Amino acid sequence: MNNLQDFRQQFRQLYGNEPRLFSAPGRVNLIGEHTDYNDGFVLPMAIDRRTVVAIAPRNDRLVRCLSTEFDDQIEFELSADLKPANDWANHVRGVAACLLRDEYNLRGADLLITSEVPLGAGLSSSAALEIAVGHGLLKVAEHLVDPIRLALAAQKAEHEFAGTQCGVMDQFIACLGQAGHALKIDCRTLEYEAVPVDLSEARVVIVNSMVKHELASSEYNLRRAECEEAVRRLAGHLPGIQSLRDVELEEFDQWADALPENIRRRANHVITENARTLAAVEALKLGQLSHFGKLMRASHESLREDYQVSCSELDLLVEIASRHSGVFGARMTGGGFGGCTVNLVKADQVENFISEITEAYEWVAKVKPECHVCQASGGVREESQ
Ligand code: GLA
């Protein structure tokens, strides 16, 4: 991130003392969509776009928050009983409350926040904010940070303060991302494996449809409930299953017809997506990028047809990308209903890809997409600059 020294200076001018700086990354999920809250597998990578919080402890219980993106200053007193409010600082409030409920003592603090992660674009700007702030609050109160415990507290904050019953993927990768690697995460056991993303042949290009995913929260919670419904119904035939993770494709095929259509489609996506994710991890390890790309495309089809979380703009971006000879694969990434696609593009074709997709998308959608060529980056850290 550029200009951290200017940012530090801005903090000094606002609050009159010296801050520490912490940053956490946004993420792009390469494959494994809507599987995390089904105890399944995901393959996200942290991106080189970060949210930075400058923070200095106070000697009382007050938290004061300013952001370079919003005009209003928000203040609240630290308490485990904090409730959501209607303002931009809910993620800050939420992570503070959930850490307090997790029995961490925190100190009041002055905060200044800035971000390079586009808001509402499906790149997990909110997880980056929660993790940067949570890590900062823990550090200035002199705690050792357990990254998985922090990720789980931030996930709870999202449930209770943003109302999205999300899985743990976004907060997990914001904590534990590794430069040059994607993480295969087993969302049941929380075991993870760093898988190298070799950029000699290909680049990860994110294309923002510029459609904000406003429907996302209610539809997201509905999908989650439909998956739980699928488990309840299938458990009648497959005793002992706890989640869709436990259902093999052959078993599912045997009982699928007994399910209502929407429930059958949701379950079909999750069960096949888990298999695709495991296959994609192997393909990436072996450098089989064409195979990886086919799995990405199949993932998109399944999200569009069965999980029904895509939208016409995301489908258009994937269509345009898939017609380009330099593209191994393309799919929507994140929760859906807008936001971004992720594209695996031959290294020497990136410029051409970006200019073609920009022109073709703008022609039809009447809005210019934003393209980001991304590197796999590290998780939350203190910035010394
Ligand atoms: C959002 C959620 C994640 C995950 C994805 C879909 O980003 O925050 O937990 O469920 O959607 O894969």
Side-chain angles (χ1 to χ4, degrees), residues 27 29 32-37 124 166-170 220 334-335:
R27 65 97 188 91
N29 190 18
E33 216 65 83
H34 289 277
T35 46
D36 59 351
Y37 52 83
S124 283
C166 64
V168 77
M169 167 171 71
D170 303 345
Y220 186 98

Side-chain angles (χ1 to χ4, degrees), residues 27 29 31-38 42 122-124 126-127 155 158-159 164-171 213 220 224 269 273 303 307 309 331-336:
R27 65 97 188 91
N29 190 18
I31 194 163
E33 216 65 83
H34 289 277
T35 46
D36 59 351
Y37 52 83
N38 288 298
V42 292
L123 299 176
S124 283
S126 58
Q155 180 195 13
E158 196 76 32
H159 289 188
T164 309
Q165 299 299 311
C166 64
V168 77
M169 167 171 71
D170 303 345
Q171 292 77 13
H213 51 175
Y220 186 98
R224 186 169 180 153
H269 166 71
E273 183 78 352
L303 287 158
Y307 219 65
V309 291
R331 57 183 286 281
M332 56 156 274
T333 186

